Amino acid sequence: MRRVTVSDEHTISADLDSVYDCFWNAECWPRITPHVRKIEMIEADTRHQRMLMTVEAHDRLYTVESMRETLPKHTITYRQTRPPVFLTEHTGEWHLDEVQSGVRVRLMHHAVIDVQRAMETLGLESEEEAVETVRRTLKTNGERTIVAVKRHLESQAGHVAGQH
């Protein structure tokens, strides 16, 4: 077992309400992200969610179950209650901070990798290759989500601004 932490940060030129809504209402992700194929909301209220998410990685589809909690317009934390087979744990948090140019979004992933399972599942030769592949995938998919939300919101803002 190997524990990894991966982080990413981007600034989105949009208002806090819009940025928060796009990250909390994950049902829009399949429309705007390249790797999230399906979101099925099982339970949801203003502070808690339980959902199934189907994601593409390594040319395969993985369906994970996640519990999410929010401190609205500030943080969203998650814990995968059913992570991919090569992770024994996957948790993380999204932090949203208003800055002069919009909203700074920081994402942290914390995962425990079952290295042997990762090597077998992903067809990899070494433990280090397995750890690096999983680390890179977590970073890439997190960044894809942030960048997709950024493009979506900033293109909407540009479209609206262009109509005036």
Side-chain angles (χ1 to χ4, degrees):
M1 302 291 170
R2 291 277 295 274
R3 183 173 297 277
V4 296
T5 296
V6 178
S7 63
D8 201 0
E9 180 177 306
H10 287 269
T11 298
I12 299 175
S13 296
D15 65 276
L16 180 60
D17 288 343
S18 298
V19 173
Y20 173 76
D21 287 345
C22 222
F23 284 107
W24 182 245
N25 298 315
E27 290 151 308
C28 75
W29 293 1
R31 290 191 317 273
I32 66 172
T33 63
H35 65 292
V36 178
R37 297 301 177 88
K38 182 179 177 184
I39 296 284
E40 179 185 338
M41 202 59 67
I42 299 167
E43 298 172 24
D45 61 35
T46 58
R47 299 257 182 168
H48 302 87
Q49 295 175 337
R50 185 167 66 100
M51 65 182 176
L52 293 174
M53 178 169 58
T54 302
V55 178
E56 183 181 354
H58 317 112
D59 296 321
R60 295 184 180 137
L61 294 178
Y62 297 92
T63 299
V64 299
E65 182 175 325
S66 292
M67 300 286 291
R68 300 197 323 157
E69 295 185 354
T70 186
L71 178 57
K73 301 178 189 176
H74 184 62
T75 59
I76 299 169
T77 59
Y78 68 88
R79 177 175 57 88
Q80 288 184 346
T81 52
R82 194 175 75 196
V85 297
F86 48 83
L87 297 179
T88 60
E89 180 182 311
H90 182 193
T91 63
E93 59 271 346
W94 302 86
H95 295 273
L96 308 177
D97 297 300
E98 283 187 289
V99 294
Q100 187 172 0
S101 57
V103 178
R104 183 177 59 227
V105 179
R106 292 176 291 136
L107 171 59
M108 295 278 286
H109 294 274
H110 312 283
V112 177
I113 304 167
D114 180 333
V115 178
Q116 280 305 123
R117 197 89 177 269
M119 290 171 58
E120 294 164 9
T121 303
L122 304 174
L124 303 171
E125 298 295 320
S126 72
E127 290 186 12
E128 286 310 310
E129 186 181 15
V131 170
E132 186 52 38
T133 297
V134 172
R135 180 191 306 268
R136 187 174 52 249
T137 300
L138 292 172
K139 179 141 179 92
T140 298
N141 284 352
E143 183 175 40
R144 282 179 172 172
T145 302
I146 295 171
V147 169
V149 168
K150 177 179 174 69
R151 285 186 185 139
H152 174 72
L153 292 175
E154 290 178 357
S155 71
Q156 281 186 335
H159 181 69
V160 170
Q163 288 180 347
H164 295 294

